[in-house]
Amino acid sequence: MEPRTQRDPSDPLIGRLLDRRYRIESRIASGGMASVYEAHDERLDRVIALKIMHPGMGDDGDFAARFVREARHAARLSHPNVVGVFDQGEEHGTVYLAMEYVPGHTLRDVIRKEAPMDPRKALALLEPVLAALRAAHQAHLIHRDIKPENVLIAPDGRVKVADFGLAKAISADTQHTATGGVLIGTVSYLAPELVIDGRADARADVYAAGVVLYELLTGRKPHEGESPIQVAYKHVHEDIPAPSLTVPGIPAYVDALVARATARDRGLRPADAGVLLHQAHRVRQALDEGILDDPDLVADLSPTSGVVREIEDAPTHEHADGSGQVAAAAVAGAGPRENTAKDPLEQAGTGASEHTSMIEAGALRPPGDNAGPRQSGHQPAPEKSPQRRRRGALYLVIAALLALALGLGAWWFGFARYTSAPGVLSLTAAQAEKKIEGAGLDYAEGDPAYSETVEKGMVLSSDPAAGDRVLDGGTVTVTLSLGPERYAVPKVAGSTEDEAQKAIQDANLDFGRSIEKFSEKVPAGEVIRSDPKAGTSLKPGTTVDIELSKGPKPIKVVDWTGKSADDAEKALSDLDLKVERTESFSDSVDEGKVISQDPSSGELFKGDTVNLEVSKGPELVDVPRVRGMGEKAAIKRLKAAGFEVEVKQHQNYVGLHFVLTQSPGSGKAAKGSTVTITIV
């Protein structure tokens, strides 16, 4: 894809809220099959990359179902060097894929600016790509479209591979053979077997990675031509040249690594990206150690040793016109067929940045190959003798008979034994079986698959597909729909955060975030509930959040000492605290106010107790009657009753020391208060 970060007001998708969740902000890149947009996930409040297939592709129900299946496989591929897939969906024919947003640039940008580059740096950039492919191959997933445009480099240097599984989803409805159908890929990185028969395995990714390494080392593609067909032809019939031919000084063992990865015979390539990554590590170690020549390493990596050389020396069985396997297959497959490619040569070829292209596989004839006989000039031929003329006539008859036999053989083996597979999509199993057996073929059922568009029990796909050739009496295997794939949210209340996360992921759902909340009933660290709630049926990969208990909510304690006890009790009760109230006499605190509080500060929790000591005011006691008593006796009696005594002399004092009056004279008074006596 070609970078295009500016906003395009004319794009009808800009500003659209897709699937009531993804707000499309701006277009990042545009390619032959899809466009990539920067979008905002309104539900999870994050920036994502949204890959949207071009209009019309979502109208095909089979394609949509296949796209869902391949996107699901890619989503389960979790690796630090793989662009994460978050979600996939379809809305009114718009098929989309929500992916991790990786700011930065692509490997194509690096090649433009820095290639040719030092082999160590080239391998440092390639190794994360191989690590991602190794994880994919171990998961039985093939990328099918490895190229610099699909390798993203973040500002912090992280390398991530994008678009796993999409090439398969796009191309699965065609029979990838040289005799018919459409070949989809980026021609500069197509393995020869993809050009010839379209059959891809992990070694096709290995080939593409080898081509990328060549481009990093040299700054150019290994094969160029005036059209995509010419480039594809060269991949079939010409070896990738040694990088050192373009950039002298590259060690021979680096050349050998490129040659091994890009061997035209896929049997000579590393079995998968894991093997190639191991070989790349060996080469990088030799480079780090400054080794300029290592014959043993070259011998280990070279594809042209021992039995390999015997294979390469074997005849190629090319036709006289030089077209080899591809032309032969094209002739064998000649005949009317529908061309499903809207733009067969869309922007592919020798440019600096290529799109995934569609090419008629049968069209891959050698450049300049004409159907008629070659004309070699007008020089007169020597006159032949009668014996030689008779021998020539005999040869001509034999050649005609051989041609007739070959033609009959081709007719029998290529057409006469075959019939067309019937269309059975969206039929019930019984209807499909009846139709297939009515066409003289055997009915079989493969593993069922989920579908968002085909009802449960109906035929989702068939192999061979409708209209494809199949041997008389052969078998058509149908895939029945399981209906929409849905999973119930597991019950996670009462479990720990880790247990809840595992349960959600085991249910094929995505764990979102933990929202901490106070709870009076659920202990701290345990799950309160999930959102959506347990039992809700969701699409695979839907995000599920949880509420995680922080325990009871703490209550800040206020000191009510010296304040109204009634106000204190009401305020504390409103905070769901218990109040224990005791009363005491106090000479310093007014009646009804708080003398003391326990605790008087800090934090408590709902149901905890606060003790309040409330004043009853001063204690009242009877005032003893002491009038007429002697001074000393009166003082002693009053003090015994708990009073303080003040002595005053009457104005007519004569020194008798008898109590004439007292104040207060009777009744009750506060204990500890003062009683005044007057003596004469």
Side-chain angles (χ1 to χ4, degrees), residues 272-477:
D272 57 30
V275 178
L276 180 59
L277 180 59
H278 172 72
Q279 294 171 345
H281 285 162
R282 293 182 61 193
V283 169
R284 192 175 181 190
Q285 182 178 2
L287 291 169
D288 290 341
E289 294 175 358
I291 298 175
L292 300 178
D293 187 24
D294 188 337
D296 291 338
L297 183 55
V298 172
D300 288 345
L301 295 177
S302 175
T304 55
S305 60
V307 67
V308 174
R309 183 174 292 110
E310 295 179 6
I311 294 173
E312 291 193 341
D313 290 341
T316 60
H317 302 290
E318 291 190 345
H319 288 270
D321 62 3
S323 60
Q325 302 178 53
V326 178
V331 173
R337 64 176 178 271
E338 180 182 358
N339 182 2
T340 60
K342 295 182 180 179
D343 188 2
L345 304 179
E346 181 183 9
Q347 300 184 38
T350 60
S353 178
E354 293 184 75
H355 294 305
T356 299
S357 303
M358 300 182 179
I359 302 174
E360 283 291 339
L364 293 176
R365 293 179 179 272
D369 179 26
N370 298 315
R374 292 184 173 87
Q375 301 297 326
S376 58
H378 300 282
Q379 294 181 355
E383 184 178 353
K384 299 178 182 178
S385 66
Q387 182 177 0
R388 294 188 64 178
R389 285 198 298 270
R390 287 194 299 272
R391 186 180 305 163
L394 178 61
Y395 288 160
L396 183 61
V397 171
I398 293 174
L401 291 175
L402 286 174
L404 178 61
L406 288 173
L408 290 173
W411 172 78
W412 171 252
F413 288 102
F415 296 96
R417 298 189 304 155
Y418 290 87
T419 186
S420 294
V424 293
L425 299 184
S426 298
L427 299 181
T428 65
Q431 292 170 335
E433 183 175 9
K434 181 178 179 180
K435 191 170 183 179
I436 290 171
E437 292 181 348
L441 302 170
D442 291 335
Y443 170 87
E445 290 183 8
D447 294 334
Y450 292 103
S451 172
E452 295 292 323
T453 57
V454 180
E455 294 181 15
K456 183 178 181 180
M458 299 294 187
V459 176
L460 176 61
S461 63
S462 64
D463 184 21
D468 288 346
R469 293 193 306 161
V470 58
L471 284 170
D472 288 335
T475 300
V476 176
T477 302

Side-chain angles (χ1 to χ4, degrees), residues 59 116 230 514-515 540:
D59 297 337
Q230 290 182 356
S514 297
I515 305 170

Side-chain angles (χ1 to χ4, degrees), residues 480-509:
L480 298 179
S481 172
L482 293 172
E485 185 176 7
R486 296 292 184 271
Y487 297 97
V489 177
K491 183 179 179 181
V492 295
S495 61
T496 65
E497 183 179 22
D498 289 342
E499 291 169 345
Q501 182 173 354
K502 184 177 186 303
I504 290 169
Q505 291 174 340
D506 288 346
N508 292 301
L509 302 171

Side-chain angles (χ1 to χ4, degrees), residues 15-25 38-48 50 85-91 96-99 509-513 531-532 538-545:
R16 176 177 171 184
L17 183 63
L18 190 62
D19 212 4
R20 295 185 298 176
R21 178 173 182 178
Y22 303 110
R23 179 76 62 187
I24 302 175
E25 301 290 347
E38 179 182 341
H40 186 265
D41 185 343
E42 302 286 320
R43 184 180 301 168
L44 296 181
D45 190 22
R46 63 180 175 182
V47 178
I48 63 163
L50 207 60
V85 175
F86 299 146
D87 188 18
Q88 183 281 326
E90 180 270 339
E91 183 182 69
Y96 70 86
L97 192 67
M99 305 178 296
L509 302 171
D510 284 349
F511 179 78
R513 56 177 180 158
D531 181 24
L538 300 175
K539 292 181 180 180
T542 302
T543 299
V544 177
D545 299 331

Side-chain angles (χ1 to χ4, degrees), residues 585 587 617-624 638 641-644 662-676:
F585 292 108
D587 297 331
E619 183 180 0
L620 298 179
V621 296
D622 292 331
V623 179
L638 289 171
F643 295 100
E644 297 294 327
Q662 71 178 70
S663 179
S666 61
K668 294 182 178 291
K671 188 177 182 179
S673 61
T674 301
V675 177
T676 302

